[in-house]
Amino acid sequence: MAQTNGRTNRRDIYLKLRQMVLTLELAPGAALSENELAASMGVSRTPVRESLILLAQEGLVQVFPKIGSFVSRVDPAQVADAQFLREAVELASLDDLPAELDPVVVGELRDNLERQRRADLGLEEFFDLDEAFHQGLMRLSGHGKVWTTVAAAKGHLDRARRLGLHENVSPAVFVAQHREIFDAIADGNAPLARTAMRTHLRAVFDDIERIRAHSPELFATDAWTVPVRRNIVVWE
């Protein structure tokens, strides 16, 4: 990682660690060693420690005195809160669609949908296209900048969504849902667009229940337990 000034360096490390948590490279429940993380990034422990504190404030990391730091398990309650926020914003955005849609944004969305259909598309590539698609829909209604606020609040939701993508053989079902939403918007059928969007966004709850049935250790529970330190877990 490039060494610049201290402030930029700390920001870069924080963003890198956050991305590793969100993409499941650091799996839910994984033990975090400041020494190992610092060595792998070629930096001192201080910016790593500061980054872990910031991630703890977001609820993505838990710090236990005299035991260590751990990636937070996915919290279904926080997933539900983030999904509620996202659904409220995206449905409200559909209500503000103009009669004449921006042809440039429409073209970008059509291109995005075509790229989603690629047979060789990787999970993270699809996730990026998914994010761009939803932000593009908000741009159609003039609320594209709101996406930054939504994205910042959905760390637990994004991890649950990625777990769901890992479970599916292909993202084809989500691509079909995106197409249904877009076609309804293009046809001026706001009620159908809202119904399709709501169904699409709530699919994550089914994913959580299915995954929790066979991998409960990935999710937070009401029973508070002190974790046991193990080596860092990397999602494969």
Side-chain angles (χ1 to χ4, degrees):
M1 182 173 291
Q3 296 281 348
T4 54
N5 63 70
R7 178 173 298 177
T8 302
N9 182 252
R10 287 194 295 272
R11 178 69 176 171
D12 290 344
I13 293 167
Y14 157 73
L15 291 175
K16 173 61 176 176
L17 288 174
R18 188 177 192 274
Q19 186 68 3
M20 291 170 72
V21 171
L22 295 185
T23 60
L24 310 177
E25 183 175 349
L26 293 173
L32 300 172
S33 164
E34 291 180 9
N35 288 333
E36 292 178 19
L37 290 171
S40 69
M41 295 180 172
V43 298
S44 69
R45 289 176 57 189
T46 299
V48 171
R49 183 183 306 114
E50 293 172 344
S51 297
L52 293 180
I53 291 172
L54 291 176
L55 291 172
Q57 293 172 352
E58 291 184 56
L60 296 175
V61 165
Q62 288 180 292
V63 180
F64 296 87
K66 299 183 180 180
I67 297 177
S69 299
F70 298 79
V71 178
S72 297
R73 289 174 169 79
V74 177
D75 186 342
Q78 293 195 49
V79 172
D81 286 344
Q83 194 281 335
F84 174 81
L85 171 64
R86 181 178 183 182
E87 181 177 313
V89 170
E90 294 206 51
L91 292 183
S93 180
L94 292 178
D95 291 338
D96 281 351
L97 287 170
E100 294 294 327
L101 301 177
D102 186 328
V104 173
V105 179
V106 169
E108 292 174 358
L109 288 168
R110 291 189 188 279
D111 177 66
N112 182 298
L113 287 169
E114 286 302 311
R115 291 162 63 193
Q116 288 182 35
R117 296 174 58 188
R118 277 178 35 211
D120 62 342
L121 198 64
L123 184 151
E124 283 304 316
E125 290 179 287
F126 174 76
F127 195 92
D128 289 343
L129 287 171
D130 179 283
E131 293 283 285
F133 176 77
H134 284 273
Q135 184 177 21
L137 294 182
M138 295 187 66
R139 286 171 58 205
L140 278 179
S141 64
H143 298 300
K145 293 183 179 179
V146 179
W147 185 255
T148 302
T149 302
V150 174
K154 60 188 184 75
H156 281 265
L157 174 59
D158 283 349
R159 290 196 295 163
R161 291 170 60 213
R162 282 185 169 95
L163 287 172
L165 287 172
H166 276 291
E167 287 276 301
N168 289 282
V169 176
S170 100
V173 63
F174 303 115
V175 176
Q177 291 172 351
H178 287 161
R179 171 60 67 178
E180 182 181 13
I181 295 166
F182 176 80
D183 286 347
I185 291 172
D187 293 340
N189 191 337
L192 178 58
R194 287 178 59 86
T195 298
M197 178 69 81
R198 185 180 291 108
T199 298
H200 174 62
L201 295 181
R202 293 185 181 183
V204 68
F205 296 127
D206 292 332
D207 289 338
I208 287 176
E209 292 309 309
R210 185 175 65 256
I211 298 167
R212 187 157 51 178
H214 62 72
S215 299
E217 72 281 358
L218 298 175
F219 296 90
T221 63
D222 293 334
W224 187 89
T225 57
V226 178
V228 177
R229 171 164 288 280
R230 297 183 178 89
N231 292 331
I232 290 180
V233 179
V234 177
W235 185 270
E236 296 180 352

